[in-house]
Amino acid sequence: GESVGLHLPTLSVQEGDNSIINCAYSNSASDYFIWYKQESGKGPQFIIDIRSNMDKRQGQRVTVLLNKTVKHLSLQIAATQPGDSAVYFCAALNYGGSQGNLIFGKGTKLSVKP
Amino acid sequence: DSGVTQTPKHLITATGQRVTLRCSPRSGDLSVYWYQQSLDQGLQFLIQYYNGEERAKGNILERFSAQQFPDLHSELNLSSLELGDSALYFCASSGLASHEQYFGPGTRLTVT
């Protein structure tokens, strides 16, 4: 079956530095890839998504890069702030196969040092 | 605030019991999804409803069932509870774009 995985379970960065969180996926038929942020005691919060026919998408302080050749995507956070500390999940969605449910990776815990 | 509400926030019950978790989607969203989050399995899709009808099923146990009512709120029923059912249960909702799912704050279920 389809799987989505993250390369590193934890990441520690200095405040003000850029963060890069990586994710690999197995199903090349995935239509969308989505990044979620989950703070302690809260539900996952939508950050940004990218359609499979795109290579890059930018949001506010975040950029998602998609490399379909190696089935890899990354989330880049610019000028990381203490409020960015959370667990980050990548998820994949295949409209054709799954009718819209998300397949989540295990998550990377981002810690921001002041 | 995502606009998705879930009750109760916490639930503690004993093995063998039955509980009902409730979810109200964002205004205008027709799709509701249920996910289970445990430490060892991560976020797992359970079931999706669209406008009152079951749309997709994931790794949902036969002891679990769900429904979506005419006012679009949804309930997840968990019966014959086991210790391993202890987890966070999230509801999410979306409009037509299933890749834009908004999650509620979750219900933490503890089975003792």
Side-chain angles (χ1 to χ4, degrees), chain B residues 5-111:
Chain B
T5 60
Q6 288 186 249
T7 56
K9 194 161 186 170
H10 300 279
L11 201 47
I12 302 174
T13 190
T15 54
Q17 294 299 304
R18 172 190 166 96
V19 296
T20 298
L21 312 184
R22 184 189 167 102
C23 166
S24 291
R26 291 188 319 160
S27 177
D29 284 353
L30 297 180
S31 278
V32 169
Y33 312 77
W34 286 97
Y35 291 85
Q36 180 192 58
Q37 186 176 38
S38 58
L39 280 173
D40 56 339
Q41 292 294 321
L43 269 158
Q44 299 277 317
F45 168 72
L46 296 177
I47 197 164
Q48 177 198 0
Y49 277 82
Y50 176 81
N51 202 19
E53 297 202 359
E54 182 183 303
R55 177 65 70 92
K57 247 180 176 176
N59 299 322
I60 188 166
L61 300 171
E62 283 192 14
R63 301 183 285 108
F64 297 180
S65 65
Q67 52 185 326
Q68 187 179 27
F69 294 87
D71 67 352
L72 301 177
H73 90 271
S74 178
E75 292 181 356
L76 178 67
N77 301 296
L78 314 176
S79 61
S80 303
L81 285 167
E82 302 174 359
L83 295 177
D85 298 326
S86 295
L88 276 164
Y89 290 85
F90 289 103
C91 165
S93 76
S94 76
L96 289 175
S98 292
H99 61 277
E100 292 183 11
Q101 294 182 25
Y102 292 87
F103 283 74
T107 293
R108 180 175 291 280
L109 174 66
T110 302
V111 182

Side-chain angles (χ1 to χ4, degrees), chain A residues 5-6 51 57 65 82 93-94 102 114:
Chain A
L6 283 156
R51 193 168 176 172
R57 189 165 187 218
L65 298 177
L93 186 144
N94 176 359
L102 299 169

